[in-house]
Amino acid sequence: MLFSPMTLGELELPNRLVMAPLTRVRSGQEGVPGPLVVEHYRQRASLGLIVSEGTYPSRAGRGFPGQPGLVTDEQLEGWANVTAAVHAEGGRIFAQVMHAGRVTHEDTTGGYEVVAPSAIAIDGETRTYKGKKPFPVPRALTTEELPAILQEFVTASRKAVEAGFDGVELHSANGYLLHEFLTPAANQRDDVYGGSPENRARFVIEVAQAVVDAIGADRVGIRISPEHNVQGATELDAADVRATYAHLVDALAPLELAYLSILHKEPTSELVQDLRARFKGTFLINTGFGVVTTGEEAKALVADGHADAVVVGRPAIANPDLVRRWREGLPVNEADPTTFYTDGAEGYTDYPAYQN
């Protein structure tokens, strides 16, 4: 079943393998995807759906050096070249819209102030254009500022569609801004966006609704990572996690989004499968953060009814023809992690397709 067609929004996917949004930092200081980025995505067009690396909707939302954006005309032209190349190969591609929130530094944003739900710094360091620096204490966004942040997501999503993307994925996972509103580790507000699980989910719901209103529900997916506990977004209270994400998904379900994508190490857990039942729509699962997803695991997740499609990262990095390799039981290339966050073609566009 992993290699059978499926419907996602208005798209017909030829298989149920989805390329995960993968940070690859190949877009330079101006955040413009160039020919190398075009080739990388073009090579992987046989996957059922490609989700782009996280793209920033504003300069203040830029998370790391080399990250591409959806802000300037040059960035949009670069992405238009990417989407045209993917479509020419018969592929489909969504843009992941990602505001880094507090997971950045002013030396990365170009001097733009680091903002977050609350003035709580992450314990650790981040890579900037001036070397590694401790995460700064972000400035807490005021209630009055949130509509403008919401509009950044809307504008970036509109621009993504104009650049040829088939849709967008809202990044509400892995400790970035939308996730920061969900977790009490980053959100200690005392207004209507903080405190209770319902209040902490409010901003994510409002952003999703606004983007749906702007580009249509069939073009909008969302990614969440309950209990993933990275980049300071710790969620250790199981009851709070259940309450927060149940409320979030209950509110998202009526929007009839293209999909819900969950990153979780236990895809068959009660939490994950309860969220799937609540969502009632196309459900994507990604397990391969701590452990690399295998072809057999991916096949079983779909065959056993735990997900409609499987999101994969490192196998897609190393195998541009992953669909063929897994379908035909061919040997696979192993990804080289030393090249994940470097420049150039090595470890990016030079992984070979299988040769008969």
Side-chain angles (χ1 to χ4, degrees):
M1 291 183 63
L2 185 64
F3 307 107
S4 64
M6 65 173 284
T7 300
L8 183 145
E10 292 187 344
L11 297 177
E12 292 298 320
L13 310 188
N15 58 72
R16 297 164 186 259
L17 278 172
V18 177
M19 178 170 155
L22 299 162
T23 301
R24 301 309 305 277
V25 298
R26 258 67 171 196
S27 294
Q29 192 157 353
E30 298 305 316
V32 177
L36 197 66
V37 178
V38 173
E39 177 62 10
H40 171 73
Y41 285 108
R42 184 201 67 78
Q43 290 176 350
R44 289 154 179 81
S46 63
L47 288 156
L49 175 68
I50 293 171
V51 182
S52 83
E53 59 209 283
T55 58
Y56 55 87
S58 65
R59 288 179 173 85
R62 186 175 195 169
F64 31 82
Q67 181 187 11
L70 283 165
V71 178
T72 69
D73 289 343
E74 292 77 15
Q75 290 168 352
L76 297 176
E77 290 169 8
W79 280 122
N81 293 332
V82 170
T83 59
V86 170
H87 290 150
E89 295 289 337
R92 297 134 300 271
I93 182 168
F94 271 40
Q96 189 188 61
V97 183
M98 175 200 132
H99 190 302
R102 64 180 184 162
V103 191
T104 190
H105 192 281
E106 289 181 1
D107 288 346
T108 297
T109 65
Y112 286 85
E113 192 173 24
V114 176
V115 295
S118 299
I120 304 169
I122 299 171
D123 182 14
E125 292 184 324
T126 180
R127 291 181 299 117
T128 79
Y129 285 108
K130 298 179 181 178
K132 286 190 174 182
K133 299 284 185 72
F135 283 107
V137 177
R139 181 178 63 77
L141 289 160
T142 67
T143 309
E144 293 72 24
E145 288 178 292
L146 293 183
I149 301 293
L150 178 151
Q151 189 59 43
E152 291 176 1
F153 280 92
V154 170
T155 300
S157 298
R158 285 193 175 122
K159 288 181 175 180
V161 172
E162 292 169 5
F165 283 102
D166 297 299
V168 302
E169 177 179 283
L170 301 175
H171 196 352
S172 186
N174 295 0
Y176 298 109
L177 183 66
L178 294 184
H179 190 191
E180 289 165 14
F181 274 90
L182 294 173
T183 170
N187 181 350
Q188 297 182 11
R189 302 174 69 92
D190 57 9
D191 63 359
V192 297
Y193 295 97
S196 68
E198 294 78 10
N199 281 356
R200 283 184 274 114
R202 187 185 306 274
F203 188 60
V204 180
I205 296 164
E206 290 178 351
V207 169
Q209 178 69 70
V211 174
V212 164
D213 291 344
I215 66 171
D218 284 337
R219 294 181 181 268
V220 183
I222 190 167
R223 183 171 174 87
I224 59 175
S225 60
E227 301 179 321
H228 191 40
N229 300 332
V230 297
Q231 302 193 130
T234 50
E235 295 169 322
L236 304 177
D237 183 332
D240 183 79
V241 170
R242 287 194 300 272
T244 302
Y245 285 92
H247 178 77
L248 172 66
V249 174
D250 284 348
L252 294 176
L255 300 183
E256 298 184 338
L257 302 179
Y259 65 83
L260 170 65
S261 180
I262 294 187
L263 172 63
H264 198 282
K265 64 182 180 180
E266 297 179 9
T268 64
S269 67
E270 181 180 351
L271 171 66
V272 172
Q273 292 303 312
D274 176 64
L275 294 177
R276 182 190 186 188
R278 290 172 182 273
F279 185 65
K280 301 182 180 68
T282 301
F283 182 74
L284 280 52
I285 191 72
N286 184 183
T287 65
F289 198 88
V291 179
V292 178
T293 302
T294 66
E296 293 308 309
E297 178 189 7
K299 292 174 188 176
L301 285 169
V302 175
D304 294 343
H306 295 304
D308 297 302
V310 179
V311 183
V312 294
R314 281 161 286 187
I317 285 177
N319 298 276
D321 56 345
L322 181 65
V323 175
R324 181 194 174 196
R325 289 178 188 253
W326 277 1
R327 182 175 28 221
E328 298 180 16
L330 300 172
V332 295
N333 303 320
E334 296 298 323
D336 178 6
T338 66
T339 61
F340 286 173
Y341 311 120
T342 54
D343 294 324
E346 183 182 3
Y348 191 60
T349 57
D350 63 349
Y351 285 106
Y354 186 80
Q355 299 298 316
N356 291 332

